[in-house]
Amino acid sequence: MIELYELAGSDAEVRFSPYVWRVRMALLHKGLAFNGLAWRFCEKTRLETACGGDRVPVIRDGDAWVKDSHDIAVYLDETYDGPRLFGGKGAAEQARLMEAFVTTTVLMPVFPMIAADVCACLDADSAAYFRKTREQVLGRTLEEARADRESRLDSFRAGLAPLRMTLKGRSYFSGDTPAWADYVVFGCFMWSRIVSPFELLDSDDVLHAWRERMLDAFGGHARSARLGYTNLPS
Amino acid sequence: MIELYELAGSDAEVRFSPYVWRVRMALLHKGLAFNGLAWRFCEKTRLETACGGDRVPVIRDGDAWVKDSHDIAVYLDETYDGPRLFGGKGAAEQARLMEAFVTTTVLMPVFPMIAADVCACLDADSAAYFRKTREQVLGRTLEEARADRESRLDSFRAGLAPLRMTLKGRSYFSGDTPAWADYVVFGCFMWSRIVSPFELLDSDDVLHAWRERMLDAFGGHARSARLGYTNLPS
């Protein structure tokens, strides 16, 4: 069975990485059984020894180790039959531009809004590492970045216009059924869902309805994922 | 031979539509001979009669009429052998999200910067139509929108970050060779190039180097295209 190394919280069942969620959905899309293994920020050497990388997602499929969410999706499409993630050879290369747009439009603006919430889910060693490295990137504390997140919500939502445009007359970014483009975007929303009660989308946004469909996909797999913040003291 | 209906200026050889340029490059990509027919904004009924649409690009291939740049590219990939534009079935659907991002990130910010220059290339009837409809969209005159374009250039260039990200370690948005993703972006730059001397890119931008490669593609086809503004009184 394929092993998927996933970022985990102090509660090992809390799996929140946006990139890992892309792969999780991709494995379900291909109909492949997999075993998700908890990995933490403070375990970098454990992966380096195995596959030469120091971040997840990583999969082990028999003797094959594959890292990087995009490369894993390519590997799955090339190795296994079943519904295609990319819709054909060469299409994966063309998906790179879409992925970069999702990074700047969704992932990067969401990050400061939920970074403190990510940190609160982590074990102590990982939290210290995460705080140090991420506060360098943010140029302020995680809590400062969280404090004014409401004020950035309107501009974040406005930036999602191209996503709404794409859903005109379609149920998914990939057409009638979800595929890689959907999983790339959805991973960002699962990241937020798992760690934070903060609501990124208006309930009457077409993206909200799309996200509901994605939560229901594959027997409601994503909807039933363990949340990291319900365990926190209120 | 395939007939391609193209927006033309008062000089019939000036072909500036960003969407038509996508198709022009797509036809070259497929190695298909075509004949570009001049069409002007004031000739809407001419197209409506033929194909039920009122905008270009439109192609006629034997008895088949196809409109909309994306749908034309799909038609070409499905109908003809040769290098694929999308890299496989289903990939075209996944390209929609990328196209929407290019619309908001490149096409929409470029539009107010060059709209007055587009207008200056048009025949009198088309210019009157263009000015009326576009000034409604802009909420100000074409000339007002042009007057402060320098002040918007930095934010436009900053918004191109995901395009630069995608070119890291790659020559084209589609990988080692150009394909649909490249033509979608390149069409926007040809639109500007044909009508305006205004420079959208810094000469040391990786996107500038990419654009040079695209201008050189297919024997320098795009580079040799007739410019609309050299004929204007200085």
Side-chain angles (χ1 to χ4, degrees):
Chain A
M1 194 188 300
I2 292 173
E3 288 177 344
L4 169 62
Y5 288 78
E6 307 188 280
L7 259 178
S10 56
D11 174 346
E13 293 311 307
V14 170
R15 312 286 168 98
F16 57 89
S17 160
Y19 297 103
V20 172
W21 269 102
R22 294 177 184 182
V23 172
R24 199 166 248 273
M25 299 300 283
L27 287 161
L28 293 162
H29 180 95
K30 301 295 286 187
L32 295 167
F34 64 96
N35 188 17
L37 302 176
W39 175 89
R40 297 192 173 88
F41 283 116
C42 52
E43 299 180 287
K44 289 192 178 285
T45 51
R46 178 174 156 215
L47 276 181
E48 278 163 5
T49 311
C51 69
D54 68 346
R55 55 182 68 186
V56 293
V58 166
I59 65 164
R60 189 180 70 78
D61 184 17
D63 291 336
W65 287 86
V66 191
K67 56 192 177 190
D68 182 274
S69 62
H70 178 97
D71 291 345
I72 293 170
V74 170
Y75 169 84
L76 295 177
D77 251 4
E78 287 179 352
T79 310
Y80 293 101
D81 291 336
R84 295 196 73 93
L85 287 159
F86 288 109
K89 212 172 167 68
E93 280 299 296
Q94 294 214 32
R96 292 281 196 188
L97 182 55
M98 174 277 294
E99 291 170 20
F101 277 121
V102 173
T103 297
T104 55
T105 307
V106 190
L107 203 130
M108 285 168 65
V110 165
F111 170 64
M113 297 198 270
I114 65 164
D117 298 330
V118 168
C119 197
C121 295
L122 302 175
D123 63 283
D125 284 354
S126 295
Y129 164 82
F130 183 87
R131 176 176 295 279
K132 189 179 166 199
T133 53
R134 271 49 175 185
E135 290 187 344
Q136 272 171 7
V137 173
L138 289 167
R140 51 184 182 158
T141 68
L142 303 179
E143 287 71 21
E144 283 166 348
R146 176 167 61 186
D148 60 1
R149 64 185 176 185
E150 286 282 355
S151 71
R152 294 192 302 278
L153 202 50
D154 282 351
S155 100
F156 166 69
R157 289 175 178 174
L160 302 178
L163 283 84
R164 291 183 198 101
M165 228 184 260
T166 310
L167 289 180
K168 268 190 191 149
R170 300 145 56 93
S171 296
Y172 298 98
F173 297 122
S174 310
D176 294 334
T177 54
W180 183 245
D182 294 272
Y183 308 143
V184 168
V185 180
F186 185 63
C188 304
F189 285 104
M190 282 306 290
W191 179 36
S192 174
R193 174 186 170 90
I194 298 289
V195 301
S196 178
F198 187 58
E199 182 48 78
L200 294 171
L201 299 173
D202 250 339
S203 60
D204 62 354
D205 191 331
V206 292
L207 292 171
H208 190 285
W210 163 83
R211 192 179 61 183
E212 289 295 306
R213 287 191 289 276
M214 295 299 292
L215 286 165
D216 288 335
F218 310 120
H221 179 94
R223 196 185 288 285
S224 65
R226 179 84 63 94
L227 303 182
Y229 60 88
T230 50
N231 297 325
L232 301 177
S234 65
Chain B
M1 194 187 300
I2 292 173
E3 289 177 344
L4 168 63
Y5 288 77
E6 306 187 282
L7 259 177
S10 56
D11 174 346
E13 293 310 307
V14 170
R15 312 284 169 99
F16 57 89
S17 160
Y19 296 102
V20 170
W21 269 102
R22 293 177 184 182
V23 172
R24 197 167 251 272
M25 299 300 282
L27 287 160
L28 293 162
H29 180 94
K30 300 296 287 186
L32 295 167
F34 64 95
N35 188 17
L37 303 176
W39 176 88
R40 296 192 174 87
F41 283 117
C42 52
E43 298 179 288
K44 288 193 177 285
T45 51
R46 179 177 156 214
L47 277 181
E48 278 164 3
T49 312
C51 69
D54 68 347
R55 55 182 69 187
V56 292
V58 166
I59 65 164
R60 190 181 70 80
D61 184 16
D63 291 335
W65 288 86
V66 191
K67 57 192 175 188
D68 182 274
S69 61
H70 177 97
D71 291 344
I72 292 170
V74 170
Y75 169 84
L76 296 177
D77 251 4
E78 287 179 352
T79 310
Y80 293 101
D81 290 335
R84 295 195 73 94
L85 287 158
F86 288 108
K89 211 172 168 70
E93 280 299 296
Q94 294 213 34
R96 293 282 196 186
L97 182 54
M98 175 277 293
E99 291 170 21
F101 277 120
V102 173
T103 297
T104 56
T105 307
V106 190
L107 203 130
M108 285 168 65
V110 166
F111 170 64
M113 297 198 271
I114 65 164
D117 298 331
V118 169
C119 196
C121 295
L122 301 176
D123 62 284
D125 284 353
S126 294
Y129 163 83
F130 183 87
R131 175 175 296 279
K132 188 179 166 197
T133 52
R134 272 49 174 184
E135 290 188 346
Q136 272 171 6
V137 172
L138 290 167
R140 51 185 182 159
T141 68
L142 303 180
E143 288 71 21
E144 283 166 349
R146 176 167 61 185
D148 60 1
R149 64 185 176 186
E150 286 282 355
S151 70
R152 293 192 303 277
L153 202 50
D154 282 351
S155 100
F156 166 69
R157 289 175 179 175
L160 302 178
L163 283 84
R164 292 184 198 99
M165 229 183 260
T166 310
L167 289 180
K168 267 188 192 150
R170 300 146 54 94
S171 296
Y172 299 98
F173 296 122
S174 310
D176 294 335
T177 54
W180 184 244
D182 294 273
Y183 308 142
V184 168
V185 180
F186 185 64
C188 304
F189 286 104
M190 283 306 290
W191 179 36
S192 174
R193 174 185 170 90
I194 298 289
V195 302
S196 178
F198 187 57
E199 182 48 77
L200 294 171
L201 298 173
D202 250 340
S203 60
D204 62 354
D205 191 332
V206 293
L207 292 171
H208 190 285
W210 163 83
R211 192 179 59 183
E212 289 295 305
R213 287 191 288 278
M214 295 299 292
L215 286 164
D216 288 336
F218 311 119
H221 179 93
R223 195 183 290 284
S224 66
R226 178 83 63 93
L227 303 181
Y229 62 87
T230 49
N231 297 325
L232 302 176
S234 64

